[in-house]
Structures are given as C-alpha cells and as structure tokens.
Amino acid sequence: QVQLVESGGGLVQAGGSLRLSCAASGRTLSSYAMGWFRQAPGKEREFVAAISGSGINTYYADSVKGRFTISRYNAKNTVYLQMNSLNAEDTAVYYCAVATVAYTIDFVPNKYSYWGQGTQVTVSS
C-alpha cells in the first residue's frame, strides 16, 4: 500500500510562487511515473504535470507550461511541483498520484492508482 502526503499549499498573491511537495511511503516508486492533478470547485480533476520514474521525462498541461516545473528525488521518494507566476485560474486543490503501471506515463486520472489527500492552493488577484 502506498501513502502519499502533499504539503506546501496556501494563499498567494497573483504573480507569486509556491512549491508543493508529495512524500510517498510504503513502496519505492522509482519505476513509476508520478503526476500532479488539480480540481477547482465545480470542475473535473485535470492533469497538471507528470514525470517519469527516472525523472528524465516531464510533461505539462498547456495551461502551466513555462510556469510550473515538476521534479522528483527518488532517494527521498518525493515529487515536487514548483509553481511560478501564479494566477487566479490556478486556484484549486492539488493532488499527487502514482501511475498504475510501471514504466508508463499518462495524463488522465484513471491511469493513476494512489492519490494523496490534496493541498489547497488559492491565488488572490
């Protein structure tokens, strides 16, 4: 069983930055892609970013490309999301997740098996 705990969310002004962390326990995840998703009130959960198990390959939603950076530190079983130039449209609960199948990467929630509890990010304009 894998447990994921996100941290780093909060309230920030437009144009500001936050760094989210997701610490995993219960299994070594270096063979599994990890992703960040977000869900705003009244909207479906959407893909934000994903990173391969090795950390070499990264993928981003168009809405965050150039502003957000995903990274991972496998020695600590942790994945990060650095968010810069935040705007009101980035307000959501952010979740990290582990891909279901090793050595694959995908961009839809149903391809991920384990989820954290989420961390709220609120951007004030």
Side-chain angles (χ1 to χ4, degrees):
Q1 189 72 9
V2 175
Q3 292 82 41
L4 303 174
V5 179
E6 300 102 336
S7 61
L11 174 64
V12 64
Q13 288 189 334
S17 299
L18 284 174
R19 188 193 195 205
L20 306 183
S21 299
C22 173
S25 61
R27 185 199 296 176
T28 299
L29 298 175
S30 57
S31 300
Y32 293 83
M34 294 187 72
W36 285 96
F37 292 78
R38 67 187 181 186
Q39 189 165 18
K43 294 187 177 181
E44 293 187 352
R45 192 167 297 190
E46 65 173 2
F47 169 75
V48 175
I51 187 167
S52 61
S54 64
I56 292 175
N57 299 305
T58 58
Y59 305 85
Y60 298 92
D62 287 344
S63 59
V64 307
K65 203 171 293 183
R67 300 188 297 120
F68 290 12
T69 302
I70 189 171
S71 60
R72 67 190 296 165
Y73 186 31
N74 284 339
K76 289 192 174 182
N77 240 14
T78 301
V79 65
Y80 305 94
L81 186 68
Q82 177 67 43
M83 305 186 296
N84 299 328
S85 301
L86 286 160
N87 58 59
E89 289 68 41
D90 297 316
T91 295
V93 178
Y94 284 70
Y95 300 89
C96 68
V98 180
T100 301
V101 181
Y103 305 108
T104 64
I105 195 161
D106 221 308
F107 315 122
V108 293
N110 64 12
K111 297 297 186 182
Y112 289 77
S113 290
Y114 299 102
W115 293 82
Q117 81 288 351
T119 186
Q120 176 71 46
V121 172
T122 303
V123 184
S124 63
S125 55

